[in-house]
Every structure is written in structure tokens, then in C-alpha cells.
Amino acid sequence: MTYLEHKVKSVPAGWRKVLFLNWPLILLLSAVAGVGFLMLYSVAGGSFRPWAEPQMKRFAMGLALMAVVAMVPIWFWRNLSFVAYLVALALLVFVTFFGTAAGGSQRWIDLGFMRLQPSELMKVTLVMLLAAYYDWLPLKKTSRPLWVILPVLLILLPAGLVFEQPDLGTALLILMGGGLMMFLAGVHWAYFAAVIALGGGLVLAVFESKGTDWQLLGDYHYKRIETFVDPTSDPLGAGYHITQAKIAMGSGGWTGKGYMQGTQSRLNFLPEKHTDFIFNTLAEEFGFVGGFSLLILYVLILLFCILSAVQNRDRYSSLLILGIGVTFFLYFAVNMSMVMGLAPVVGVPLPLVSYGGSAMLVLMVAFGLVQSAHIHRPR
Amino acid sequence: MRRTPRETAESAVRVTRRGLILGGLQLGFAATLALRMRHLQVDQADEFRLLAEENRINIRLIPPARGRIFDREGRVIAENEQTYRITIVREDAGDVDAVIARLSQLVELEEDALNRALAEMKRTAPFFPVTVADRVDWEDISRVAVNAPALPGVTPEVGLSRVYPQGDLFAHVAGYVQRVQDRNLALYEDPPAVLRVPGFQHGQVGVEARMENLLRGEAGTKRVEVNAAGRVMRELDRREGEAGADIQLTVDSALQDYIHARLGAESASVVVMDLEKGDLLAIGSSPSYDPNKFVHGISSKDFKVLLDDDHRPLASKTVQDAYPPGSTFKMVTALAALDAGLVAPDETVWCPGHMEIGSRRFHCWKRVGHGHMNLEQSLRESCDVYYYDLALKVGIERIAEMGRRLGLGVAHDVPMSAVTSGLMPDKAWKLRERGSEWVIGDSVNASIGQGFVLSSPLQLAVMCARIATGRDISPRLIKSVDGVETPSRAGQSLGLNEAHLRQVRNAMYAVSNSRRGTAFASRIVADGLRMSGKTGTAQVSSNVVDNNSVPWEQRDHALFVNFAPHDTPRIAVSVVVEHGGGGSAAAAPIARDVTLQALYGEDPPLEAYPSSDRSRIKAQQDRLARERRIRDAEGQSRA
């Protein structure tokens, strides 16, 4: 609770708001995005095209969006939460029926200048909605079954739609993000214990159902899980990606092979090297030092979020900041787990680093909300 | 709509507590990630580094240049030529059909090859070069090079291929190479990796096959970096291989050329052996074929022509075919009898034209009989009855033993394909192979080189060489390897009584030089070069009375063996003319011409021939000079 603020008696107004932005957070986000540019330049073989340059433009756009969102008072956004959720839900419904078919699933709305992924949008709007919900809900009702079922339905609805696309990874992220929001809001422990027990049972059922008439997941999901458990079982098929990703990472060693010297990525052994597996390129070229540094940057972003949330005495604001922090955490934690062979490959990008429009813009808007909550916190 | 923040002490505490718990969990998970990272990148780094290198580095073989083959004068028998082929890389070509259409205006493209190439393009990666035209000539290549801008993705490439500049002369000796085939790989317990290189050639027949390991050389290697799709990104380093050893044969191309011309259309074979070291100066098998056709892959039509020819051009008759030696075997019988001390050279046998043995009558070729015959007379006039008599006295075991000592019935160690051991039968052999007892008639037949006895022209030449020198001389085909001379094959004395040998040699001299000798018509009259020989006629089907009145394939084989000069023997020669009729008429004249050619090293002066033959020989020399490929000037330029 240092910088500038101890002299401020009330919420700043006008251009003075710029001074009260959470500048360390902006610097950290820019540093992470910078790592992304560096790696996208490298995997393109030392070229700004086709990835680094569009990514930089998008980040610039994201920064602008973040600034705009940050300037608008947080209570405005709070009042918009429910509408935002409905819009995202509508887009999700739309994409399930009219979305552009790609990669065997419908995930995008083609806006012309970019492809919008409503499921990304949903991650943030769901956090907003749940924050507003628990802000509105009297504290003593928080753990009452009726008031627990309502948010559960609000979570399950979009998660189910995303699962139908089918995009198991994002559906799980939505479920976990929503669940953790409820945890933050103070829902009773017992519910989570019950859900965890139920989840365990469900996982068991999923495996039991394999090959039967009531098989719960698509064949390709089972395939991914199988090759995750034992990548060598299918070294030239689905296991190839995991194996090559681990080789790229492991061969980096302590300090890496040097910038643009990563053989695994440069020679295309690494799959999806500019999107899901970009972390492996980083780890290959900059070694443990590089990979660990990025992890530290991510953790610092998390810590600044938690710090900001703890400082904030507005319930909506602190829930929102923590929720966005959790969403951000889930992104990088799932992506890193998957590229390091700790989780099945489910197609989650590395936040702010992987090439891709929707995720970056949505995240920047989300951090705009964090900034807004930070600037307009009660004093 | 601004409102006062909802804040109760309780809610703030709860959110803070839960937030910190969650933050702690997140940190814990981040630590797990860091540990995992450490595990992969520090603990297992070496292992993964190795795997990454294996991914990236590919070792490619650089095929070695095959060793060349020369004749004894240094003329090239087999060498490597650069061949040009045109390849297309689909990825670089863009519109493949348009590029091929443009290419076909410059170079003649075969439809078959083109269709094969298009099919291959569909199967292979887009950056993989596919051959659209093989073995194009240099003009085509330069036209393609000039028009390169209009032909994206088209590259002329250079490779090495075997070529036999002497055509059919040494097809049976040097043999030929072809692309590696499954049966070649089966020869090795652990085939050298270079054999898997596409288009690599392996000896199939003859010296090329038998000396494959020396000729092949050592493949070099280059390490290249490849990407995931297998495309070569760059060359990291290379280690040059070692070219195969150059092999010099003992053969003389000029003599071989003469022999092929002299044999003409006959189905015949000639072996000329040098008596100093056992060098095979010529090993001609006629008719022959062009080995170059096999290198490129012979068309089935051409191959069928070769297979269907009743003169069997594919057969290497000098070493792989075994014929009844006929009367050329009589020296063996005579030496066996002399060696056993059972007969004296002057002892005579009465030849009434036949001999009764048991209930069977064995005829002499001369039905009216030769009268009294001693050793020299019997060989000179080739009396059969004399040898029937020897057979009864000596027995097959001694004859067979002498035959083997003189090189019959054993496979000589020459690096050619399908070298036969012929057959030198004895009692044990017959019991083992035929399951019946040896009968006296078998000995009688064997004594004149009929019945079970079989020998190749090479064996006959060796037999003659051993009689001429009295030494254990064996054929040598490889003169030197990479300039290092191989050991002489003229061994020690056979341990035969020199007087016996002289008696047989003198009898052979009489064959060629006595008025009553069966080969008198084919004598040499040059002083100091006179030859000694023996005619032979091997029956193909029984009861042939007149060779001219039966179909070709039923006529007798004509044989002749000789050495020359009589006093200081330098060469031994054997000639077999399949279905040629009598040895004196069909084989002896060839043997004389070849002998003179070998002794003079060029067309002999007409004075070497009897005066009555000279005009005919002159005409023959002129005719053959035109037919031969290697003339003196050309021979020198090659050397």
C-alpha cells in the first residue's frame, strides 16, 4: 500500500486516473507479451511475419482496450455484468449453430478482422456475473442450497454449450473457473467436498463407459488421455506431439540452445509451435532459466492481482479481481501442464504468449476490469 | 450508478481468507510446474538432448565409385560413366503439368517413365525429387540448363553408372552389374548399408559379381540436418569414402577380339592360357551379348531373344559348360598307363576297327581299323581300340586319378560365374550317384573321353598346359588388384615322369605335324612356333554317321587342345565348337589361328601357314580385320 495512494482521500477523477493505474501489472503484462513477440519472431524463422507482427498489433489494441475499460468506473461494469453474460451466452448459442467449422469443432464467429471465440469471452463474463451475483446476494444466504444451485446452473449452461462444440479443454476451464469463484465467495466447504467426490465418480464413469453404448466422451478424447498416460504407445500418431514437446523442452537444458537455435521448433518436429506449444520453444531456446523466468512473471501477475483484491474493500471488485486472476492462472497452469506432459493435450493457449486474437483481447479487457476496480476502489 | 461499497467486516475477511488460500494453492501448483520443468530440463536434459539430435541429424551415404576393370595391357573393360537424369521437384515446379509440357518440347520423354514419375510424385513428399527422364544425353541436359528459367523445379542431376566399352567381348568374363536385388542382399549376413542406396549397382555375373567386395569400395558418409518432414536443410559435415579397387585381368582384349571375330556365328568357346604364370589370355564364349543392356535393365523382348537362341549367348561356355572331352582325353589315359608302368611306348596293339569286351562290341572311329598301333601312332591317328586296351589294363581308378592331377574333374579357382567342376568319374562316384557298380564298359568309354567324363574348355586348357609344362599350373584371371600383382599360378612339378610326358608331347606333335596326324591340315610351319595338339570329337547323339546329314543340334562337338611352340611351350589353347562336327575339321583350324595370333600378338605373317593355305588365310585375315573392334591404333589410344 505504497505508491502515490496514501495521499489520496477519494477516488481519482479525469486524467488523474492514469496515475492510479496498477502500473506494475501493466509492466508485467507487457513483459509477458514481449516474451510472446520474441518467441513468435523465432518460430517464424527470424521474421515478424506471419505471427509476431499481427500479435504486436493485437497487443497494442489490447492495451488500448484495457485503458478504455480501466477509465470507466467499476460500478458501471458491475451493472453491465448480467447483460455481458447474456450476450456471451447468445454468441455461444449462435456459434454452436452457425459458427465456422474448423478443426472438427465450431468455435469461432468470423468478424472479418478477427475470429471471435465466444467461449473465451464467456470465461470473463461468467466471472463478472458471479462476482455481481455474490455482491448482490446477502452474505448469510451464500451457502443456502437454492442460492447455490442458481450459480451452478449459470456455470453449467455455458460449460455444456462449450462441451458440445466440442471443446473439452475450455469447458473444463469454465467449470473450474466458475467453481473457484463460488469458493472465493465463501460457499460452504461441504459443497466442494461433495463436488470433488462426485467428480471423482464421474471420471471413473467416463473410463468405465469407454467402448460401451453409453460412452460419455468422443473417441478422440480417450485417445488423448491414453497417449497422455503413455505417449510411447503411439509414437508416430497422437503421442508424437507430447513426445516431441518433451524432447524440445528437455533438450534445452539449463540455459537453452540459444535464441533461434531451437532445432525441434525450427525443423518442425514441434507441433503447434506458435500456439499451444510455444512454451516448449521458449524452454528449448532459453532453457530452464527462460521457462522459469516466464513462470515467475505469471506468478507475479497473480500476486499483484491477489494484492490488489485484498486491498479492495468492495466485494464485487475483490471477487472480480480474484476471479480474473484464477482464470489467468488456469490458462497458464493447464497449458504448461499439458506441454510438460502433466495433463492431456486439450488445446489451451499460453496466455498472452500464444499466437491468437480472441484469448489475448479478452484477457486484456479482463485486466482492464482489474485496473478499473483498482482505480475506483473505495478509500 | 454509484453506490457505497458493500462492505461488511465479515465478507472482507472471508474473501481475503479464501483469496489467500486459493493464492497459496496456485503458488503450490506453480511450484509443481517449476519442479517438473527442472526434472525435464535439468535431470533428463542429456537424454532429451540425444533424442533431439537423433531427430535432427540424418546420416546419408555417399556411394563410392566402383573400381574399374582393365585388361592386361591396361585397356578398359569396365568403367564408370557419368549419367544424366532430369528430376522434378513438385513443390518448386508449381504447375507440374505445364512444366512437363514445356520440358517435353525440349527433351523426348518416354510415356512409361513419365507416368511412373507422376505416380511417384503423388506418393512422395512435395520436395522430393522425382526422376522424369533417365540416361539423357549431354545435349538434352544443356538444353534444359539453358531453359532453366522456364522450367521451375526441374534439375539435371549427375550420377555414376557402369559401362562396358568393349561391348560383348567380356560379357562372360567381367559380367555386369545391375541395381541391387534381393538375391544380392541375401549373399550377406549383414549387408553393407550402401547397398540400400537407391540405384546402387551390384555385380550380378562374372568378375563383377565374384570380386564385388573389392570393386565396391567404401561408402562415405555425410551428416545432414533434416526437418520433421525429412527435407534436408543443410549438410553438416562429410567423410569421403574410398573408391573400389581397380582390377587388372590377365586377358588380352585384342586377342579376345580376334577370337570373337574368328568364331563368328559358331556356338563355340576358346581358352588361351599363358604357361608362364597360368594367365588366361583369352576366354571367348560365342555368341555373346552386350552387358550394357543389362546394366540399364534389359527389355523382356531382348531378353527373350537371348534366351530363345539355340546358340545360348547367355551361357559362359568356357567355364560353365562341360562336354565329353572325346579324344582330347586320350593323353590322360596314355599318361595313366605310362605312369602305372603297364605299357611301354613301343608296345603295339592290333586295331581291327573294333574290340569285343564281354558281349559288347566297341568300335574304333575308323571302322576298317588302324592295324598295329604304338603309343605315338595311336595318339597321332586317334585310334580308339588302343585306348580300350589301355583301359582294360589300367582301370578307371588310375585314369581318374591322372585326370584329376591334370586338372579335370576339379573346379578351378577363377572368379567367373558358375565354374563347373566337370566330371571325372570313378567307381565310388558311380556307386554314390548312380547306385550301380562300375562296369568295364564304363572304363572303355571313359578311356576315349566318352561316357561319364565331362570337362569344360577351361579344364581342357589346364590339362594341356600341365602336359606341356609338367607343372601344377592353374588358371589366373586376376593379374593385379590396385596395381599389386597377384601370385603366379604356375606351381611346382606335378611329379610325372619327364620321359613319359615327352613321349605324349611328341605324339601330340605328330598329331599336328605328321602327314598322318589328324590335325596335319592345321599345322604351323613357322620355325620355332610349331604346335602340338590333339583333336577330339564328342558324340552328341549315337549312331551319327555323317554330321552333314543330321540337324545342327545332333551333330558332334568338335574339340581341339594344343600347346605351342612345341620346344619351348608358351601357351596352351583349347577350342570347343558345339555341334561343329569333327575336331580336325572344325576346331583345329580355329586353334591354329588363335595360337598364331597369341604368339605373334598381331596378325601373323602368312609364312607361318602352309603355302597351300596362304591365299585363303589372307582373305580371312582381311575379313576379320574389318570385323574386329580393337585395331592397333585404337588399342594404343585406350592403353
Side-chain angles (χ1 to χ4, degrees):
Chain A
M1 291 168 225
T2 50
Y3 60 96
L4 299 174
E5 74 185 71
H6 62 280
K7 284 183 182 164
V8 179
K9 291 281 183 279
S10 64
V11 172
W15 288 110
R16 266 168 52 81
K17 287 181 182 178
V18 174
L19 295 174
F20 295 90
L21 281 169
N22 194 337
W23 281 104
L25 198 54
I26 294 175
L27 288 178
L28 284 170
L29 292 173
S30 302
V32 170
V35 170
F37 306 150
L38 208 63
M39 293 330 294
L40 289 173
Y41 181 80
S42 170
V43 292
S47 163
F48 285 107
R49 296 200 158 272
W51 298 310
E53 193 187 300
Q55 183 86 344
M56 287 162 107
K57 284 181 182 161
R58 270 198 294 261
F59 182 69
M61 201 160 106
L63 274 181
L65 266 176
M66 181 175 85
V68 169
V69 171
M71 293 302 115
V72 178
I74 189 66
W75 43 89
F76 176 80
W77 296 119
R78 184 193 60 211
N79 294 346
L80 220 61
S81 294
F82 189 61
V83 178
Y85 174 81
L86 283 182
V87 168
L89 197 65
L91 287 173
L92 213 49
V93 171
F94 176 80
V95 89
T96 315
F97 300 106
F98 306 102
T100 308
S105 55
Q106 299 186 319
R107 299 178 188 179
W108 292 308
I109 293 173
D110 206 332
L111 295 182
F113 69 96
M114 67 171 285
R115 284 167 158 180
L116 182 71
Q117 226 171 319
S119 56
E120 299 288 344
L121 199 60
M122 179 48 81
K123 283 180 201 162
V124 175
T125 52
L126 182 64
V127 168
M128 288 169 75
L129 176 74
L130 290 173
Y133 172 78
Y134 283 109
D135 183 38
W136 163 81
L137 191 70
L139 203 58
K140 53 183 181 294
K141 290 184 182 172
T142 305
S143 293
R144 296 210 181 135
L146 184 68
W147 301 105
V148 169
I149 287 169
L150 190 62
V152 165
L153 289 178
L154 291 175
I155 295 165
L156 284 180
L157 195 60
L161 282 170
V162 172
F163 181 75
E164 276 301 304
Q165 283 184 351
D167 185 352
L168 179 66
T170 309
L172 284 175
L173 283 190
I174 290 173
L175 276 181
M176 291 190 332
L180 289 173
M181 273 307 283
M182 290 172 72
F183 173 78
L184 287 169
V187 175
H188 199 272
W189 289 98
Y191 288 102
F192 296 98
V195 165
I196 288 167
L198 216 76
L202 190 70
V203 167
L204 210 67
V206 161
F207 281 98
E208 286 297 311
S209 74
K210 194 198 166 195
T212 64
D213 295 339
W214 50 284
Q215 182 168 311
L216 291 173
L217 295 179
D219 282 333
Y220 89 108
H221 288 130
Y222 286 106
K223 187 90 187 155
R224 281 189 174 183
I225 294 167
E226 261 169 46
T227 50
F228 157 66
V229 174
D230 180 15
T232 54
S233 69
D234 186 15
L236 293 177
Y240 179 84
H241 288 185
I242 300 171
T243 307
Q244 293 300 338
K246 281 162 79 177
I247 291 175
M249 187 144 194
S251 61
W254 260 110
T255 53
K257 296 174 184 169
Y259 187 50
M260 307 216 291
Q261 303 297 314
T263 57
Q264 286 286 106
S265 52
R266 200 163 46 77
L267 301 173
N268 288 331
F269 290 102
L270 193 62
E272 301 287 328
K273 56 183 181 181
H274 61 293
T275 55
D276 289 358
F277 287 92
I278 196 163
F279 185 67
N280 301 71
T281 307
L282 174 79
E284 186 184 20
E285 297 190 347
F286 294 104
F288 178 76
V289 173
F292 188 72
S293 302
L294 183 64
L295 185 64
I296 292 293
L297 286 180
Y298 280 138
V299 168
L300 283 176
I301 289 175
L302 264 188
L303 288 180
F304 271 94
C305 284
I306 291 170
L307 189 68
S308 173
V310 168
Q311 286 176 350
N312 205 318
R313 286 171 295 170
D314 179 38
R315 185 165 162 78
Y316 176 79
S317 295
S318 54
L319 277 176
L320 181 76
I321 296 171
L322 286 175
I324 284 168
V326 161
T327 304
F328 186 71
F329 166 80
L330 287 175
Y331 263 114
F332 77 75
V334 171
N335 176 276
M336 284 189 180
S337 303
M338 128 192 147
V339 301
M340 285 194 271
L342 287 174
V345 178
V346 288
V348 173
L350 190 62
L352 302 179
V353 177
S354 284
Y355 179 78
S358 293
M360 172 174 264
L361 286 179
V362 166
L363 270 174
M364 291 308 282
V365 167
F367 280 106
L369 294 172
V370 170
Q371 296 285 5
S372 173
H374 187 75
I375 295 169
H376 302 98
R377 69 185 178 278
R379 289 175 166 86
Chain B
M1 185 193 73
R2 183 164 180 191
R3 58 158 175 73
T4 49
R6 289 199 182 166
E7 187 195 10
T8 63
E10 195 195 345
S11 82
V13 166
R14 192 172 293 185
V15 167
T16 302
R17 198 175 63 206
R18 291 271 170 117
L20 291 178
I21 290 170
L22 197 57
L25 288 175
Q26 288 171 339
L27 277 182
F29 195 82
T32 311
L33 290 177
L35 283 177
R36 172 69 173 175
M37 221 184 285
R38 208 192 108 89
H39 177 65
L40 289 176
Q41 296 196 280
V42 180
D43 301 343
Q44 293 187 307
D46 291 340
E47 193 183 314
F48 282 120
R49 244 181 235 126
L50 200 68
L51 288 171
E53 290 294 281
E54 276 175 19
N55 266 346
R56 162 178 98 94
I57 292 170
N58 228 322
I59 294 178
R60 302 278 166 100
L61 290 171
I62 311 169
R66 196 174 175 83
R68 292 167 297 175
I69 302 177
F70 301 98
D71 82 343
R72 66 186 298 115
E73 303 293 337
R75 301 181 190 100
V76 176
I77 292 176
E79 64 183 339
N80 309 308
E81 63 171 359
Q82 290 195 325
T83 58
Y84 303 95
R85 59 179 190 276
I86 298 174
T87 61
I88 292 189
V89 176
R90 180 154 54 102
E91 183 184 68
D92 299 340
D95 185 352
V96 173
D97 292 334
V99 170
I100 286 180
R102 253 171 282 156
L103 183 64
S104 59
Q105 289 169 358
L106 298 170
V107 184
E108 210 174 302
L109 298 175
E110 286 171 33
E111 191 124 349
D112 284 3
L114 200 57
N115 289 337
R116 220 178 307 133
L118 289 173
E120 194 181 340
M121 259 182 234
K122 291 204 180 81
R123 270 185 286 115
T124 52
F127 55 82
F128 193 81
V130 173
T131 304
V132 286
D134 205 358
R135 313 193 75 83
V136 293
D137 58 27
W138 204 84
E139 273 115 66
D140 286 338
I141 286 291
S142 40
R143 262 202 302 278
V144 169
V146 167
N147 291 286
L151 299 167
V154 175
T155 322
E157 287 191 15
V158 186
L160 285 181
S161 180
R162 203 62 157 170
V163 63
Y164 303 96
Q166 312 225 28
D168 64 0
L169 278 192
F170 293 100
H172 300 115
V173 184
Y176 54 83
V177 298
Q178 282 181 323
R179 287 183 174 199
V180 177
Q181 292 162 22
D182 288 344
R183 63 185 158 89
N184 301 137
L185 294 174
L187 294 173
Y188 304 87
E189 199 171 302
D190 179 22
V194 70
L195 296 190
R196 312 271 186 198
V197 173
F200 194 73
Q201 296 175 328
H202 190 283
Q204 304 294 335
V205 173
V207 171
E208 292 274 31
R210 295 286 305 275
M211 307 294 277
E212 168 68 28
N213 289 339
L214 274 176
L215 288 166
R216 187 192 311 127
E218 283 293 320
T221 51
K222 58 179 175 186
R223 296 193 316 141
V224 292
E225 189 179 80
V226 296
N227 70 3
R231 180 208 297 261
V232 174
M233 308 304 281
R234 64 194 166 117
E235 187 174 309
L236 299 171
D237 55 33
R238 67 156 64 204
R239 185 178 61 80
E240 293 297 338
E242 213 173 292
D246 286 341
I247 288 180
Q248 186 177 27
L249 301 183
T250 57
V251 292
D252 179 344
S253 300
L255 184 62
Q256 184 90 356
D257 191 19
Y258 175 82
I259 287 169
H260 274 272
R262 178 68 182 82
L263 291 177
E266 296 280 12
S267 175
S269 51
V270 174
V271 175
V272 182
M273 199 166 154
D274 186 282
L275 298 183
E276 192 196 346
K277 292 176 179 173
D279 287 359
L280 292 167
L281 298 177
I283 328 168
S285 176
S286 176
S288 187
Y289 59 90
D290 183 1
N292 294 304
K293 280 188 176 175
F294 283 81
V295 176
H296 316 162
I298 190 166
S299 72
S300 52
K301 194 178 111 232
D302 287 357
F303 192 63
K304 192 165 157 38
V305 168
L306 291 174
L307 273 183
D308 290 348
D309 191 332
D310 62 356
H311 283 40
R312 298 183 297 128
L314 291 173
S316 171
K317 293 167 187 141
T318 51
V319 296
Q320 105 182 49
D321 281 0
Y323 306 89
S327 299
T328 59
F329 189 75
K330 284 173 179 166
M331 281 88 81
V332 176
T333 311
L335 276 170
L338 290 168
D339 199 50
L342 295 173
V343 61
D346 295 334
E347 245 176 75
T348 60
V349 171
W350 172 256
C351 168
H354 59 84
M355 188 183 228
E356 308 276 350
I357 299 163
S359 58
R360 280 182 68 191
R361 168 174 287 203
F362 290 83
H363 285 281
C364 185
W365 67 269
K366 195 172 176 183
R367 295 295 164 110
V368 296
H370 285 93
H372 286 288
M373 286 277 120
N374 64 13
L375 177 71
E376 181 173 319
Q377 291 165 330
S378 72
L379 209 58
R380 181 183 71 194
E381 294 168 37
S382 206
C383 171
D384 292 338
V385 169
Y386 181 88
Y387 291 90
Y388 299 155
D389 184 64
L390 289 192
L392 295 180
K393 289 175 182 160
V394 181
I396 187 62
E397 296 300 323
R398 285 203 183 91
I399 294 173
E401 200 223 318
M402 180 57 69
R404 282 192 277 269
R405 276 170 91 175
L406 294 174
L408 304 182
V410 290
H412 293 291
D413 178 24
V414 279
M416 290 172 66
S417 293
V419 177
T420 182
S421 61
L423 182 58
M424 190 64 252
D426 55 20
K427 290 175 181 171
W429 169 83
K430 194 181 177 195
L431 200 61
R432 189 174 67 240
E433 298 293 327
R434 298 290 165 100
S436 57
E437 289 290 332
W438 187 269
V439 295
I440 192 70
D442 294 334
S443 300
V444 170
N445 276 330
S447 70
I448 59 160
Q450 294 285 162
F452 298 121
V453 187
L454 293 170
S455 53
S456 66
L458 176 70
Q459 287 173 326
L460 293 177
V462 171
M463 175 192 79
C464 193
R466 290 185 182 177
I467 292 169
T469 60
R471 295 164 69 190
D472 184 13
I473 192 165
S474 289
R476 182 174 82 155
L477 182 58
I478 306 298
K479 185 169 163 60
S480 66
V481 174
D482 259 345
V484 179
E485 178 142 5
T486 53
S488 165
R489 300 293 287 273
Q492 299 301 306
S493 167
L494 283 165
L496 293 173
N497 186 319
E498 187 56 34
H500 297 164
L501 284 168
R502 202 176 316 119
Q503 280 149 5
V504 170
R505 284 181 209 136
N506 287 340
M508 289 172 73
Y509 182 81
V511 170
S512 284
N513 295 285
S514 159
R515 280 197 177 281
R516 305 198 60 180
T518 51
F520 178 69
S522 301
R523 67 196 178 278
I524 293 171
V525 299
D527 285 334
L529 297 180
R530 286 175 181 269
M531 72 180 201
S532 306
K534 181 70 193 85
T535 55
T537 304
Q539 275 189 357
V540 172
S541 75
S542 51
N543 304 321
V544 171
V545 182
D546 178 9
N547 274 308
N548 291 321
S549 62
V550 297
W552 177 79
E553 64 272 13
Q554 288 178 23
R555 292 178 199 168
D556 297 337
H557 294 321
L559 296 90
F560 193 80
V561 299
N562 71 283
F563 63 89
H566 176 76
D567 300 317
T568 53
R570 279 160 50 197
I571 59 167
V573 177
S574 72
V575 175
V576 176
V577 182
E578 285 190 342
H579 312 294
S584 56
I590 295 174
R592 172 180 62 178
D593 290 345
V594 170
T595 301
L596 281 171
Q597 199 77 23
L599 291 176
Y600 280 97
E602 59 184 4
D603 281 355
L606 291 173
E607 289 70 39
Y609 288 93
S611 54
S612 58
D613 289 345
R614 285 175 192 166
S615 58
R616 185 176 56 79
I617 293 295
K618 174 81 181 107
Q620 177 182 293
Q621 281 184 356
D622 290 347
R623 177 174 58 81
L624 293 182
R626 283 194 302 275
E627 287 176 12
R628 274 141 74 190
R629 232 163 295 139
I630 302 174
R631 294 176 184 82
D632 286 342
E634 195 192 348
Q636 272 156 20
S637 75
R638 277 190 198 279

